[in-house]
Amino acid sequence: GVKDGSWTVLQVVEALGSCLENTDPRTRGRGIQLLSQVLHQCYSLLQEKEVLHLVLFYENRLQDHHLVIPSVLQGLRALSMCEVLSPGLAVSVLKAIFQEVHVQSLLQLDRHTVYSIITNFMGSREEELKGLGADFTFGFIQVMDGEKDPRNLLVAFQIVRDLIAKNYALGPFVEELFEVTSCYFPIDFTPPPNDPHGIQREDLILSLRAVLASTPQFAEFLLPLLIEKMDSDLQSAKLDSLQTLTACCAIYGQKELQEFLPSLWSSLRREVFQTASEKVEAECLAALHALSACLSCSVLSSDTEDLLDSFLSSILQDCRHHLCEPDMKLVWPSAKLLQAAAGASLRAYHHVTCSVLPLLLEQYTKHPQSSQRRTILEMLLGFLELQQKWGHVEEDESTLLSLRAPVCSVVFSALTDPSVHLQLVGIRALTVLGSLQGFLSPSDLELVVDHLIRLSLHEEDSQSSEAAMEAAGSLAPIYPKVFTGRMVPRLEEELQSEREEESSRDHCSLRQRCLQALAAVSTHTSIVRETVPVLLQHLRKVQKGSEAGSAQDMVSVCQSLHRVALQCQRDTEGYWYYHQTVVPCLLAMAVQAAMQESTHPLLGKALLEEEVLAAMVPVISAATTHLSPELAAQSVSHVVPLFLDGEVSFLPQNSFPCSFQPFEDGECLEAQRRLVALLMAFVCSLPRNVAVPQQERLLRELLALSCSCNCPFTATTAAKCFAGLVNKHTAGQQLDEILQLAVNRMEPGLAEGPRRMQALTLLLWVTKALVLRYHPLSSHLTDKLLGLLGDAELGPAAADGFSLLMAESPDVLHKGCHADVRIMFRQRFFTDNVPKLVQGFHGAGPDVKANYLKGLSHVLNHLPKPVLVTELPTLLSLLLEALSCSDRVVQLSTLSCLQPLLLEAPQIMSLHVDTLVTKFLSLTSSPTMAVRIAALRCAHALTSLPTTVLLPYKARVIRALAKPLDDKKRLVRKEAVAARGEWFLLGSPGR
């Protein structure tokens, strides 16, 4: 009635008169409860005069019987949300609550109501409440004092934060407000199981911390409390205190900290020197950093002592001497403390480093042992890395610049040390020095490049070599001219040199490293313009030669080109240069080799080998995926006509002996047809919004080639290329027609004839293309694949095809090459097809049952584990049956599927523990090493099941695992030791 205007609230009050005036407090309470419920639904409809009368009525009722109070508070809460509340009423209500209600004697919900009333008034009547002055703060302190419920504490802490943040008057009650909140510090709360409110300990910790660290006025009370709790035996109390101290430093100044700095430093130092906990150490270092930063930021008057200097001096006094003992246990804690303090500001950094850096350099010279030098250089590296935060090295202030010569000398000596570990630290230090703008002189830079070349090419240890190449890649964009002028020519010279005194194996290794180094250093466009021609020139040289290892050499060049392509992808200019240079060159060389194959069989043959073409695919793909649509369209207009019409004019050195016709018939064109792999790499990597010219014709040619070619490599790449284009093809009649044509070609090929395997390959790739994009035809093709599981000849290959459908494909049909991949295609495939696989298994003959199990294990192996856990009860019996299958692929796939499930679904797996133990132990004797390793890992994972379930099997398993301890393969023995050790510890105290 109130809502539709037929009743006013005051009429409701009149109608409730007999209840509201009843002598029985329960009856009065019910009357007020009903009125309060009406107000909660209608408070926005009330008039100002009505609100005034209701507030006066409810205030009066606060003096009523305690049974009535909860309903009165509910009514006041509704009225506190009214926008038409007259000035002065908010203050009147709060005064009445503060005077008349003993809040902490109420139930939790009623106390929460009081906090809600205060919150509402603070949000809408801030100026009025501030008119109360410190009385409001005192009143709230009385309300909150003694609160224990976490739900209410979260609201109360928020009120205190608002009191401080909105500058309410605290008056003489600062200490009382601190006491009423700090009594909860540190928070000791464990939420009950199945808590419907979802309040976590962390919520309370963060909320209380925000209160304690909200004002410098609390500092004199809080800092002694934090120092006391830092000395606690409880790790949680230490961590909370340290994190709170860090938070306080953001708002404190010198004045607040001055009195407590010695005690704070003493506690922090003791914890870092003595703690066994990495967490506590990390928080101590963060707190020290925050203290140093706070003192660095404080504004000083002319007569004020600079506390930062005295604070850092005391830290140096306590830590500096430990740095002279590189074998002692306190050297690293001391270094970490100094670095934490120094990293807070440039001023702190200068103060610490002017004392510490000369000492470390002196210690490095004093200690000849590599292990001690490594420790000293790692400490030095920590201080060098701090300088990176401020970038440019200032000449007038920097200790580092004045020590340039000895620092460089120390780092360069580490690079020539026989110890690999010291070399690696030296390389990291070199990278940091190079990143400090203005630190290295031109002569130092030349020496840096020389060291990097020597380490990259001639250092025996591969770790140092790889680290040097990474360092070159990091420094090259900073000093492109130096690397272009000094490193690239030296690498080119080494690559081209033929050294008679070296064995062919050493020379091959040097060539490999040259190629890797050229790729690693190609991290700037100007360098890419120098290195790419060198790599392509070497590829041409290898193609013209006819030495035995030329195919492997070509693969190495392609791997380097691929790395360069990946490094170029973020730079538009360098990427387009790379694409324009590399893609036509690779195509030209491949076309040249294919044409020579028919006339001069020995020339260029290595370039046509499967492993070389397979290595070219990622190069062309990586050079294409990041093209803009405009540039991609420009490029595709050349590449597709090359393959369809033999249009070679855009290729460099395009005077070929005959025409290029990869889609024509004829045995002499077999080599040309192999180059479809390169077409696949290009067109399947184009952005989806780039139109492929003559696409329908290209699709028909690829379809024909995939069904008719005798070479499995060519047929497969044609099928993949067809599938890649179909996946991105816009839906409509043209796509339906080409798919129908594909089905018409596949079905007869699958039924009979010499090319059944080619037809199956095409079926698999087209099915994958359609499954990924949820195309309606995918279910028809999947059913066809399921039917082939019962085929004696194609069944095993069809079963392996389920892995192809579910796995990430490296070269086509993945998101990196812009394929249309729906987010949950694996879950959808599982839901649609696993029931059919299970049904097929039960109805299949004994000779083909293994095919269904293999297909099922492939699907489950690639399914997200949370999905698999939910389906586990229905599938587990089949998985256990798969372990008895003689096919090692089925065994291996099933074991790799079961291992994570033992960890993630122990309760379900426990029901089958007897079968699991028996199967795993029998497979530890499998003739296949990979199966033995997987079975031992599963036996290890069994120990995550409930101990009571496993104890009856403990002796049996330990006996059985003794045998693989003597396995002839080291990796098997390693897994057996780990698994047996866990079973030995099963049931022991603390496990």
Side-chain angles (χ1 to χ4, degrees):
V2 174
K3 278 186 175 178
D4 63 23
S6 58
W7 281 67
T8 65
V9 171
L10 295 180
Q11 285 174 320
V12 175
V13 175
E14 286 173 18
L16 284 169
S18 59
C19 284
L20 299 178
E21 294 170 358
N22 197 290
T23 53
D24 179 20
R26 286 180 180 78
T27 306
R28 290 201 304 281
R30 283 202 298 274
I32 293 175
Q33 183 182 12
L34 178 57
L35 178 60
S36 297
Q37 287 170 343
V38 171
L39 292 178
H40 258 284
Q41 296 207 32
C42 307
Y43 65 85
S44 59
L45 306 174
L46 298 177
Q47 303 295 317
E48 186 175 345
K49 194 172 181 182
E50 290 175 319
V51 173
L52 174 63
H53 288 304
L54 286 164
V55 166
L56 294 173
F57 168 74
Y58 271 101
E59 275 184 21
N60 181 261
R61 291 294 174 164
L62 283 173
Q63 301 170 12
D64 205 331
H65 194 278
H66 68 87
L67 292 175
V68 177
I69 299 299
S71 300
V72 176
L73 292 171
Q74 288 293 340
L76 286 171
R77 182 185 175 192
L79 293 169
S80 71
M81 293 186 277
C82 291
E83 291 180 12
V84 293
L85 202 68
S86 302
L89 284 184
V91 169
S92 172
V93 168
L94 289 179
K95 275 185 175 178
I97 291 174
F98 293 159
Q99 286 170 12
E100 306 296 344
V101 183
H102 185 249
V103 175
Q104 289 306 314
S105 66
L106 301 174
L107 293 174
Q108 179 272 326
L109 183 62
D110 303 324
R111 301 200 302 275
H112 193 279
T113 304
V114 174
Y115 295 127
S116 299
I117 294 168
I118 295 171
T119 303
N120 291 341
F121 283 145
M122 286 179 76
S124 61
R125 296 289 186 271
E126 183 178 327
E127 291 307 317
E128 286 183 38
L129 300 194
K130 283 182 177 177
L132 273 172
D135 288 348
F136 175 59
T137 304
F138 180 67
F140 173 72
I141 290 170
Q142 287 181 307
V143 166
M144 183 187 171
D145 193 8
E147 181 59 67
K148 289 184 176 63
D149 192 277
R151 292 163 287 182
N152 291 350
L153 282 173
L154 283 177
V155 186
F157 289 156
Q158 181 61 54
I159 292 171
V160 180
R161 287 219 299 280
D162 289 343
L163 278 173
I164 293 165
K166 295 179 179 177
N167 295 315
Y168 281 78
L170 304 185
F173 304 117
V174 174
E175 187 173 358
E176 283 79 0
L177 187 62
F178 172 77
E179 291 295 338
V180 86
T181 49
S182 66
C183 62
Y184 302 100
F185 183 86
I187 294 287
D188 179 22
F189 168 68
T190 304
N194 306 317
D195 178 21
H197 309 291
I199 295 174
Q200 298 298 314
R201 180 169 174 269
E202 193 65 19
D203 300 328
L204 288 165
I205 287 173
L206 294 175
S207 190
L208 176 56
R209 185 175 302 150
V211 171
L212 297 177
S214 61
T215 172
Q217 294 181 72
F218 284 166
E220 61 180 302
F221 316 114
L222 177 60
L223 290 173
L225 176 65
L226 295 181
I227 292 166
E228 177 195 330
K229 298 300 179 185
M230 274 188 232
D231 299 342
S232 162
D233 293 332
L234 279 175
Q235 181 172 310
S236 59
K238 286 182 193 290
L239 292 171
D240 203 352
S241 303
L242 291 163
Q243 288 163 352
T244 304
L245 174 60
T246 304
C248 289
C249 288
I251 62 157
Y252 285 4
Q254 283 206 165
K255 180 164 68 78
E256 286 77 27
L257 291 172
Q258 182 166 9
E259 181 187 343
F260 304 99
L261 279 175
S263 302
L264 287 169
W265 163 238
S266 175
S267 295
L268 292 173
R269 180 190 62 213
R270 186 188 62 253
E271 287 302 326
V272 173
F273 280 174
Q274 295 177 4
T275 187
S277 163
E278 288 183 12
K279 281 184 182 175
V280 172
E281 182 188 87
E283 293 301 341
C284 282
L285 296 174
L288 182 59
H289 180 94
L291 281 169
S292 183
C294 175
L295 296 174
S296 301
C297 297
S298 296
V299 179
L300 303 176
S301 57
S302 56
D303 57 341
T304 313
E305 178 196 357
D306 184 358
L307 282 182
L308 179 66
D309 274 352
S310 56
F311 183 59
L312 294 175
S313 297
S314 61
I315 295 173
L316 281 163
Q317 184 182 341
D318 289 342
C319 295
R320 193 174 180 271
H321 60 280
H322 293 302
L323 303 184
C324 304
E325 307 156 353
D327 287 338
M328 302 301 284
K329 67 173 187 177
L330 292 181
V331 66
W332 270 116
S334 299
K336 288 176 182 175
L337 285 165
L338 287 165
Q339 286 164 9
S345 68
L346 195 53
R347 194 154 63 98
Y349 180 77
H350 289 322
H351 186 113
V352 173
T353 52
C354 71
S355 171
V356 170
L357 290 188
L359 177 68
L360 290 176
L361 293 169
E362 179 192 327
Q363 291 301 311
Y364 187 91
T365 314
K366 269 188 188 177
H367 293 87
Q369 298 96 326
S370 294
S371 60
Q372 293 176 324
R373 286 190 158 192
R374 177 188 166 197
T375 302
I376 295 164
L377 187 56
E378 282 182 328
M379 289 191 285
L380 182 64
L381 174 61
F383 287 103
L384 295 177
E385 285 172 337
L386 291 176
Q387 176 72 58
Q388 283 180 304
K389 288 170 65 172
W390 295 286
H392 191 75
V393 182
E394 298 291 340
E395 288 191 30
D396 56 336
E397 291 184 351
S398 177
T399 310
L400 194 54
L401 211 56
S402 65
L403 297 169
R404 174 161 50 195
V407 167
C408 287
S409 172
V410 160
V411 173
F412 292 153
S413 78
L415 298 177
T416 53
D417 194 275
S419 163
V420 173
H421 295 300
L422 182 52
Q423 280 181 19
L424 291 172
V425 181
I427 292 167
R428 283 165 54 207
L430 192 68
T431 310
V432 174
L433 290 180
S435 69
L436 298 175
Q437 193 182 350
F439 183 79
L440 293 174
S441 67
S443 59
D444 287 335
L445 269 174
E446 290 181 1
L447 204 51
V448 165
V449 172
D450 292 345
H451 276 298
L452 290 176
I453 293 170
R454 177 184 58 77
L455 289 165
S456 298
L457 302 186
H458 305 296
E459 177 54 49
E460 284 182 27
D461 187 86
S462 61
Q463 271 184 291
S464 292
S465 173
E466 287 166 15
M469 290 182 202
E470 289 295 326
S474 300
L475 296 176
I478 305 172
Y479 310 103
K481 287 182 181 175
V482 179
F483 279 84
T484 306
R486 194 171 183 87
M487 189 164 188
V488 177
R490 288 272 298 280
L491 292 173
E492 184 180 6
E493 186 184 319
E494 291 278 4
L495 190 61
Q496 291 172 350
S497 66
E498 299 291 341
R499 303 189 182 192
E500 293 177 12
E501 71 274 12
E502 287 182 326
S503 68
S504 71
R505 188 174 179 182
D506 289 342
H507 187 55
C508 182
S509 171
L510 180 63
R511 269 206 311 260
Q512 287 271 84
R513 286 198 174 181
C514 282
L515 294 170
Q516 290 167 355
L518 281 165
V521 81
S522 303
T523 49
H524 187 273
T525 304
S526 64
I527 302 172
V528 170
R529 289 178 183 274
E530 300 295 325
T531 55
V532 165
V534 173
L535 290 168
L536 293 175
Q537 184 58 40
H538 184 67
L539 191 60
R540 289 192 198 96
K541 178 184 169 185
V542 177
Q543 184 191 7
K544 288 171 184 168
S546 55
E547 60 249 47
S550 58
Q552 185 51 49
D553 219 1
M554 286 181 168
V555 170
S556 298
V557 179
C558 289
Q559 287 168 344
S560 289
L561 284 169
H562 181 231
R563 180 172 178 177
V564 177
L566 295 176
Q567 289 166 182
C568 284
Q569 285 176 345
R570 291 183 294 275
D571 171 35
T572 311
E573 181 194 343
Y575 189 62
W576 179 234
Y577 163 78
Y578 180 93
H579 179 87
Q580 280 184 305
T581 310
V582 173
V583 173
C585 181
L586 292 183
L587 290 172
M589 290 168 67
V591 170
Q592 182 84 38
M595 289 178 177
Q596 286 175 341
E597 174 79 353
S598 52
T599 51
H600 305 86
L602 291 176
L603 282 175
K605 183 142 186 172
L607 196 65
L608 299 172
E609 289 185 22
E610 283 183 26
E611 62 173 328
V612 178
L613 289 172
M616 283 186 175
V617 166
V619 178
I620 294 174
S621 179
T624 307
T625 52
H626 285 60
L627 287 178
S628 67
E630 298 76 25
L631 295 176
Q634 189 179 323
S635 198
V636 76
S637 66
H638 296 305
V639 176
V640 171
L642 167 68
F643 281 86
L644 287 178
D645 307 313
E647 181 56 63
V648 296
S649 58
F650 83 103
L651 298 178
Q653 303 163 349
N654 54 19
S655 54
F656 300 116
C658 58
S659 58
F660 181 59
Q661 300 169 314
F663 291 117
E664 296 296 321
D665 293 331
E667 281 190 32
C668 63
L669 298 175
E670 180 56 49
Q672 294 189 15
R673 285 196 279 272
R674 294 166 78 79
L675 302 195
V676 169
L678 306 185
L679 172 68
M680 173 198 77
F682 178 79
V683 294
C684 292
S685 301
L686 292 168
R688 253 187 278 174
N689 56 354
V690 174
V692 177
Q694 306 181 68
Q695 185 168 9
E696 308 312 313
R697 180 186 162 197
L698 179 59
L699 284 165
R700 289 169 192 273
E701 296 283 15
L702 289 165
L703 181 59
L705 185 60
S706 68
C707 294
S708 61
C709 182
N710 292 318
C711 170
F713 175 78
T714 304
T716 302
T717 49
K720 287 162 78 171
C721 190
F722 179 83
L725 289 171
V726 160
N727 173 264
K728 295 181 190 176
H729 201 298
T730 49
Q733 186 181 349
Q734 285 183 326
L735 177 60
D736 295 341
E737 286 174 5
I738 203 74
L739 286 174
Q740 191 55 52
L741 189 63
V743 171
N744 295 344
R745 291 294 290 266
M746 280 188 283
E747 286 183 341
L750 288 167
E752 57 185 4
R755 296 199 177 93
R756 294 186 76 201
M757 192 54 79
Q758 278 99 316
L760 174 61
T761 301
L762 179 62
L763 171 65
L764 285 169
W765 282 104
V766 174
T767 305
K768 182 177 179 74
L770 300 182
V771 163
L772 292 178
R773 64 179 278 179
Y774 292 176
H775 191 279
L777 186 63
S778 62
S779 56
H780 171 69
L781 298 182
T782 309
D783 289 344
K784 194 162 285 299
L785 188 60
L786 287 163
L788 289 171
L789 292 173
D791 186 289
E793 180 191 351
L794 293 180
D800 283 331
F802 281 91
S803 176
L804 186 150
L805 294 181
M806 299 294 283
E808 186 87 359
S809 172
D811 43 12
V812 293
L813 296 177
H814 60 87
K815 284 188 177 177
C817 64
H818 312 289
D820 186 355
V821 181
R822 301 302 169 89
I823 192 167
M824 294 177 77
F825 79 91
R826 290 186 180 90
Q827 288 90 318
R828 181 169 175 162
F829 187 87
F830 170 86
T831 306
D832 292 348
N833 297 294
V834 165
K836 297 176 188 175
L837 273 168
V838 174
Q839 188 182 350
F841 168 80
H842 290 306
D847 52 335
V848 293
K849 271 187 180 292
N851 297 337
Y852 288 91
L853 286 175
K854 189 191 287 189
L856 177 66
S857 62
H858 283 315
V859 173
L860 298 182
N861 228 354
H862 291 95
L863 201 64
K865 290 299 174 278
V867 180
L868 187 51
V869 168
T870 59
E871 300 292 337
L872 190 56
T874 55
L875 294 170
L876 192 52
S877 56
L878 258 183
L879 286 171
L880 295 174
E881 196 163 340
L883 289 177
S884 305
C885 178
S886 58
D887 188 313
R888 65 182 181 81
V889 176
V890 175
Q891 291 173 347
L892 196 55
S893 188
T894 308
L895 287 168
S896 61
C897 187
L898 285 170
Q899 186 195 345
L901 294 175
L902 288 163
L903 305 171
E904 292 175 30
Q907 298 305 324
I908 300 169
M909 302 300 269
S910 298
L911 304 174
H912 302 268
V913 66
D914 192 64
T915 313
L916 290 167
V917 168
T918 306
K919 301 273 190 195
F920 293 158
L921 293 181
S922 84
L923 288 173
T924 58
S925 306
S926 165
T928 308
M929 182 182 85
V931 173
R932 296 201 300 278
I933 289 173
L936 286 165
R937 284 178 179 162
C938 286
H940 189 168
L942 272 174
T943 58
S944 63
L945 301 188
T947 305
T948 50
V949 174
L950 296 176
L951 281 175
Y953 302 93
K954 180 176 178 179
R956 175 185 161 193
V957 172
I958 289 171
R959 270 197 313 276
L961 291 180
K963 184 184 173 187
L965 290 177
D966 295 325
D967 197 280
K968 60 188 176 185
K969 295 292 186 182
R970 183 182 62 82
L971 293 174
V972 177
R973 296 195 300 272
K974 179 184 169 190
E975 294 295 340
V977 168
R980 199 162 184 257
E982 279 299 316
W983 275 91
F984 262 118
L985 292 170
L986 197 71
S988 56
R991 298 293 292 176

